[in-house]
């Protein structure tokens, strides 16, 4: 079953902050070496004005198109990769309620690298906005003896404490997943551990619903079978936004602990 096919997730890297009641541009970013720029706004946008390329300027680049995702993230196609410290200027974009937005922000480059796992039928895609990642993932599952999906990663050794806020998860089937995962390598059969959230809603009978649980899963051996919490131990229901966390206490520790949170403050194992 195409459990990851066309699954879309919005994952925040940091909390969104706005010092004004006026609608504004929150942030901008780009995947390193990519020919796209992501721009995030703090309110849903009017699609007609948000998708007009002439309403944006990116320093050192020419914009060819603008696409609106999830209501308030705009993907700008540019003719060259941008460099750290680039600026995005917005003028002429309106919110969904008609409030005009103008301003400039300094963009950031992502430290994470996009990678398909296995050979998904449709390649995954990530847009970085400086504050969040909009992710479209192909593939049929992260489970079994080999994974088939999409991964944003950085290499790391030693201890770590990684956290992410998942703002939304839509499309795909009932087991569509978004989560934090640590892997030994980028091969499909790699050992791994993952804390994840599935779509909410009701399934069955509604195909756009999800299994509506938080879960912890793992593969202990290269190419071995995956395991997960017993059904009765999975935590329902899922809410958005939710926070996920993976922790390795020390560099020599053989244990990686996973947690979920409804508020980013109180963590549940």
């Amino acid at each position: 079953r195409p459990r990851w096919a066309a699954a879309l997730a919005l994952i925040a890297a940091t909390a969104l902050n706005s010092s004004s009641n006026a609608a504004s541009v929150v942030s901008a970013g780009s995947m390193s070496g990519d020919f796209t720029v992501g721009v995030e706004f703090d309110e849903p946008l009017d699609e007609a004005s948000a998708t007009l390329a002439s309403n944006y300027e990116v320093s050192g680049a020419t914009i060819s198109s603008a696409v609106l995702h999830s209501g308030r993230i705009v993907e700008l196609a540019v003719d060259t990769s941008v460099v750290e410290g680039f600026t995005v200027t917005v003028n002429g974009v309106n919110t969904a309620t008609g409030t005009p937005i103008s301003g400039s922000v300094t963009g950031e480059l992502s430290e994470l690298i996009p990678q398909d796992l296995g050979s998904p039928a449709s390649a995954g895609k990530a847009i970085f906005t400086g504050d969040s990642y909009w992710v479209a993932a192909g593939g049929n599952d992260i489970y079994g003896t080999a994974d088939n999906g999409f991964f944003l990663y950085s290499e790391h050794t030693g201890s770590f404490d990684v956290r992410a806020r998942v703002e939304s998860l839509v499309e795909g089937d009932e087991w569509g997943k978004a989560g934090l995962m640590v892997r030994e390598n980028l091969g499909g059969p790699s050992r791994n551990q993952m804390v994840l959230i599935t779509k909410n809603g009701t399934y069955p009978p509604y195909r756009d619903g999800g299994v509506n649980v938080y879960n912890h899963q793992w593969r202990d051996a290269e190419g071995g079978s995956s395991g997960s919490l017993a059904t009765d131990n999975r935590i329902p229901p899922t809410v958005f936004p939710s926070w996920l966390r993976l922790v390795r206490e020390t560099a020599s520790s053989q244990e990686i602990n996973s947690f979920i949170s409804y508020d980013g403050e109180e963590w549940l194992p």
Side-chain angles (χ1 to χ4, degrees):
R1 292 180 293 171
R3 291 179 172 171
W4 278 63
L8 309 177
L10 179 58
I11 303 177
T14 59
L16 304 182
N17 296 304
S18 179
S19 58
S20 170
N21 291 327
S24 63
V25 189
V26 174
S27 60
S30 182
M31 304 299 294
S32 183
D34 199 11
F35 283 25
T36 61
V37 170
V39 186
E40 186 162 353
F41 297 80
D42 61 357
E43 292 190 21
L45 302 178
D46 161 61
E47 186 171 5
S49 61
T51 55
L52 192 60
S54 59
N55 286 340
Y56 307 89
E57 293 181 5
V58 175
S59 60
T62 299
I63 303 168
S64 59
S65 66
V67 179
L68 180 63
H69 299 289
S70 301
R72 57 184 183 85
I73 289 178
V74 175
E75 175 190 7
L76 302 176
V78 293
D79 64 341
T80 186
S81 57
V82 294
V83 297
E84 187 72 43
F86 70 95
T87 59
V88 176
T89 301
V90 178
N91 191 28
V93 175
N94 297 322
T95 69
T97 58
T99 302
I101 303 173
S102 61
S104 297
V105 291
T106 300
E108 300 180 16
L109 296 183
S110 171
E111 296 180 354
L112 300 182
I113 301 169
Q115 174 73 43
D116 280 320
L117 298 175
S119 301
S122 57
K125 178 179 182 178
I127 301 169
F128 179 55
T129 71
D131 266 346
S132 64
Y133 293 88
W134 180 91
V135 178
N140 60 12
D141 207 358
I142 302 296
Y143 206 69
T145 59
D147 301 323
N148 197 261
F150 185 67
F151 191 39
L152 285 170
Y153 77 96
S154 64
E155 295 185 355
H156 193 82
T157 57
S159 60
F160 56 81
D161 187 337
V162 183
R163 312 176 191 199
R165 184 182 72 220
V166 183
E167 293 194 354
S168 63
L169 177 61
V170 297
E171 302 188 26
D173 81 356
E174 76 276 15
W175 265 110
K177 311 169 182 177
L180 286 175
M181 176 169 54
V182 57
R183 302 180 65 84
E184 196 166 54
N185 58 64
L186 297 175
S190 173
R191 297 170 63 203
N192 68 73
Q193 181 169 332
M194 183 178 185
V195 57
L196 63 95
I197 184 172
T198 64
K199 295 185 299 180
N200 51 20
T202 302
Y203 178 88
Y206 304 109
R207 191 61 180 174
D208 59 349
V211 293
N212 204 26
V213 294
Y214 302 88
N215 200 6
H216 309 269
Q217 66 176 59
W218 55 87
R219 183 182 299 117
D220 288 336
E222 180 85 9
S225 298
S226 296
S228 68
L229 294 180
T231 301
D232 290 345
N233 292 332
R234 298 169 184 170
I235 304 172
T238 56
V239 297
F240 294 91
S242 278
W243 284 255
L244 305 175
R245 182 180 181 187
L246 285 176
V247 180
R248 185 184 190 188
E249 297 286 356
T250 66
S252 60
S253 175
Q254 297 299 306
E255 293 186 356
I256 297 173
N257 297 311
S258 52
F259 305 88
I260 68 162
S261 175
Y262 298 108
D263 58 9
E265 299 292 334
E266 181 179 358
W267 294 95
L268 305 173

